[in-house]
Amino acid sequence: MEKIPQTILFLLLLVFTFVAAENSTAHRSGGADEFHVGVILDLGSLVGKISLASISLAVEDFYSVHPNHSTKLAIHIRDSMGSEVQAVSAAIDLRENYKVQALIGPQKSSEATFISKLASVIQVPVISFTATSPSLTYDSSPYFVRATLNDSVQVNSIASLVKAYGWREVVLLYDDTDYGRGILPHLIDALQHSDIYVPYRSGISLSATSEEIKQELYKLMAMQTRVFIVHMSSTRASLIFTMAKDAGMMSKGFVWIITNGLANIIDLLNPSVIEAMNGVIGIRFHVPKSQKLDTSFLIRWNKIYQRYNPNKLPLNKSITIVGLWAYDTVWALAQAAEKVGLSGNRNKRLQPHKNSTCLDSLAISINGAELLTEIVQNKFQGVSGTFDLTERQLQVSTLQIINVIGGTWRHIGFWTSKNGLSRHLNQNELEITGSSASMPNLNLVSWPGESIEIPRGWEFPTSGKKLRVGVTSSAYPEFISTSKDPVTNATRVSGLSIDIFENALKRLPFALSYEYQAFDIAGDSTSSRSYDDFIYQVYLQRYDIAVADITIIYNRSLYVDFTIPYTESGVGMIVPVKEKVNSNMWIFLKPLSQGMWFKSIIFIIYTRIAICLLEYLSGNRYLHEDMLEYFLSRVVHRVWKIVLLVLASSYTASLASILTVQQLSPTLTDIHELQKQGGYVGFHQGSYMEGLLVDIGFDRSKMRPYHTPDDFHVALSNGVENGGVDALVLDVPYIKLFLAKYCKRYTMVGPIYKSAGFAFALPKRSPLLAELSKAIINITGGDTIIQIEKKWIDQNSCQHDEEMDGSGAITFGGFRGLFLLTGFVTACSILVAFLMCHYKRQEESGHIQDADKGNKENGDCNDDIDNRATISVSGSPNTNSICHDPIMTC
């Protein structure tokens, strides 16, 4: 109890000494008029001590540069001791006893809220370089000026950082104070604008014990989200990070982001705290390089700091941005005071009224409004950069992204409203947009656990809790079937959906423990529960994921998210088939296609002309199949007979098939036609088809639910006359399974309606969604899905007898080889015949010339006449007659 009076005595002595020194300096400087200014700080905090040193140095520096000013700031220090009441009491004391014309501070946003309201009444400007709460506005506090950044200016940079690394969810940790709560609406809006979800907000009360904080951290560990944004005072944040390290939350997989309130003063934290914060990333104000901020400045600042803190070691780091803002604030106020002067430094009392309090004794500052105007119009280059209060608060230019590592921090990038995130300032747009789409445009980060791998941002808790997989039996056990193990009572499942799900889990980049939990839909044909009820259990958090033959439809997507589909989509209609009687008088033409008929006729004509030509070349004028004399004609004819034989056999078989195979056609081709006719339609009980049919326009009395494929078969077989239906409406995957068993009597019409297919349902914004969808893409895009479908769906068990139509006729392409053969043989035969004829003519011409020469020599004219007569005999069967002119003889 003795320490408290000593502390107060020391502070009073400090104030007295400071004021005395200032007064002494004022007299030495030529008797400048004192302009009284009150300063309210928490002198027990590190920020308060740094600010006090900066304010003192600023007064010395300003008046050493401006020794001839007619006014001089007389600084009066008060300690708020971190209490709002103490801060307000100090403000009243300063105004009442020292007639201060302006107040610097207070340090906390909650203190500034009270004091700024008081200042608005007595018209005294309040300039705070530490009160960052967005709730402090000009509208509510017209005499409040913020010589620092509004907390809300950093929210877009935080959202950009979270989005750049691909994290979809974050948890907010904040002081349950005006300072902590003030940023929440702005930060949450910025995150939601970037499609980032905040599943939980943890407000830590100032009265929370270490045990309560530890329990809150364990609660956070039990969540899936691993990205935490911390907006706290340095004292509370130091405790949080120290305890988080002890709890194992500063290890690989975790992400911690600190706001600028903490990042700006991270150099001042205890080394053990900085060590515990390894891997943390933060947003802080960027201080540009300046000649004013040189080594001499830092040395002088440290001397003053040690003067007020003799028992503290000198700071081995550069002055924080808070100290620079405090320094520039004094310069701005000193310049404004000189412009206003003391000519108007008068006060007037508040009008007394009944039940008045001590506040009524406070005087209103006459020159307060003028001083406020000069302050907010002041703009200059200070040690912190451009110091511009024209908007009643500093304007953000550039924020710096830092990474805590090895007991210090390093730069990883910048954020500006124009360029967003970038490694370097003034980085051109081409460099920014040209960076990898999968990697943020920042330097490499060392994450908690000394990992350089970007954390996923979520993990399934390792506290023994398994992923709860909801399953339900389908009417088609090929998709999913459930049962209970008689020994362990565990849920056993099988089917195509289960195989795809388990294959997808194997492809995840992490191990996942899970258990199946059954939801009964198909077990009882009288059950009123539906697939919608099953999926709704995910929304109610009974299941972490629903696995079954679940169709993606709009109304379900309102409360759950779906993976990409693993089956084809669409809704079709199953209808009976009827025999089609064929009465076409031109049915005999169907076995051959039009092209086949045309080309066959062309080849017949071509072959006949070829045979005619060959026979006339041989001298045979009587063309008959049995009287072909030339051997080449007989070769062409026999090859052509082979072609005709094959063609005739194929024609006969095709025609017989057309005449004997039963022709089937659907009894209905349009669901709207069925609806207009008032027909009955069946659907799968518990499915969304009932709502779909109502939307199409069916009367509920015309709709009949069925449970199993056998029920569907019976309903279609019986027909409407026997209590059945005209058609069934089902998802396409169900239809294929049904027709694989009953294909000879039914067929599918459609799809009549588009749907997205079957998928798995997860809670909204589940972090597992993206990973599971990528795994399903891997499955459906390869051979795995084919093997799974072959395992569960026997697509060859039943084959439709397809209706014969023009597309099944014999085409020329199938007989191209035979026609090429006969065409080649014919062409070659004609060529050989002409060559032989040409050769014989040359040979006979030679004989004639020899005979003429001999006759002339012997004078034997009669022999010459006889020889010519012999050669000219027509119709002779010998080989010498082959050279008859085919054109003339034909």
Side-chain angles (χ1 to χ4, degrees), residues 573-582 661-670 726 743-749 800-805:
M573 184 168 63
I574 302 177
V575 297
V577 292
K578 60 183 179 181
E579 184 175 356
K580 180 180 179 182
V581 178
N582 201 329
V661 172
Q662 184 183 26
Q663 303 295 298
L664 302 176
S665 63
T667 55
L668 289 168
T669 57
D670 186 3
D726 296 302
C743 63
K744 292 187 180 299
R745 302 187 59 180
Y746 312 104
T747 189
M748 183 181 84
V749 175
H800 271 290
D801 294 324
E802 301 292 343
E803 179 182 351
M804 295 291 293
D805 56 19

Side-chain angles (χ1 to χ4, degrees), residues 167 217 220-221 223 225-228 247-256 279 447-449 455-457 459:
W167 302 318
L217 290 176
L220 298 180
M221 286 186 66
M223 298 180 180
T225 307
R226 288 292 184 264
V227 182
F228 304 104
M249 297 179 69
M250 301 302 297
S251 57
K252 183 178 180 181
F254 287 88
V255 178
W256 295 86
W447 303 101
R456 286 196 307 270
E459 296 283 349

Side-chain angles (χ1 to χ4, degrees), residues 484-655:
K484 285 288 185 181
D485 189 302
V487 178
T488 63
N489 202 37
T491 300
R492 296 187 300 191
V493 290
S494 62
L496 183 143
S497 300
I498 295 299
D499 281 2
I500 292 177
F501 172 69
E502 293 181 349
N503 269 275
L505 292 186
K506 293 176 183 177
R507 286 170 164 77
L508 297 180
F510 48 87
L512 195 60
S513 178
Y514 60 94
E515 64 179 2
Y516 292 113
Q517 298 180 8
F519 182 84
D520 185 20
I521 291 179
D524 182 6
S525 61
T526 63
S527 173
S528 61
R529 298 208 288 184
S530 66
Y531 271 72
D532 288 339
D533 298 326
F534 171 53
I535 299 166
Y536 198 68
Q537 304 305 306
V538 176
Y539 174 77
L540 297 177
Q541 299 184 2
R542 178 181 174 184
Y543 303 138
D544 298 312
I545 183 172
V547 174
D549 45 348
I550 302 169
T551 304
I552 303 174
I553 56 175
Y554 170 73
N555 68 318
R556 294 172 179 173
S557 67
L558 298 177
Y559 51 88
V560 295
D561 281 339
F562 290 99
T563 63
I564 66 163
Y566 60 85
T567 64
E568 60 184 315
S569 62
V571 176
M573 184 168 63
I574 302 177
V575 297
V577 292
K578 60 183 179 181
E579 184 175 356
K580 180 180 179 182
V581 178
N582 201 329
S583 58
N584 186 359
M585 63 179 293
W586 301 104
I587 194 171
F588 68 91
L589 296 176
K590 277 185 170 290
L592 301 183
S593 66
Q594 292 182 0
M596 188 65 173
W597 279 114
F598 176 75
K599 292 169 185 175
S600 297
I601 294 172
I602 294 298
F603 263 88
I604 291 173
I605 297 172
Y606 166 70
T607 305
R608 186 63 178 172
I609 292 175
I611 293 174
C612 174
L613 180 62
L614 290 173
E615 285 298 307
Y616 272 103
L617 284 174
S618 67
N620 184 10
R621 296 181 179 179
Y622 302 99
L623 295 180
H624 190 275
E625 182 178 338
D626 297 329
M627 298 178 62
L628 296 178
E629 298 178 354
Y630 191 31
F631 79 97
L632 289 176
S633 302
R634 291 194 295 272
V635 169
V636 171
H637 183 259
R638 288 170 182 172
V639 170
W640 178 243
K641 288 181 69 174
I642 294 173
V643 173
L644 288 179
L645 178 62
V646 173
L647 186 60
S649 300
S650 301
Y651 172 87
T652 303
S654 180
L655 181 61

Side-chain angles (χ1 to χ4, degrees), residues 73-87:
L73 299 185
I75 305 297
H76 304 275
I77 307 294
R78 290 294 183 271
D79 185 6
S80 68
M81 299 181 182
S83 167
E84 289 86 352
V85 175
Q86 188 69 23

Side-chain angles (χ1 to χ4, degrees), residues 247-266:
M249 297 179 69
M250 301 302 297
S251 57
K252 183 178 180 181
F254 287 88
V255 178
W256 295 86
I257 303 174
I258 57 175
T259 57
N260 63 9
L262 183 59
N264 285 337
I265 61 170
I266 195 168

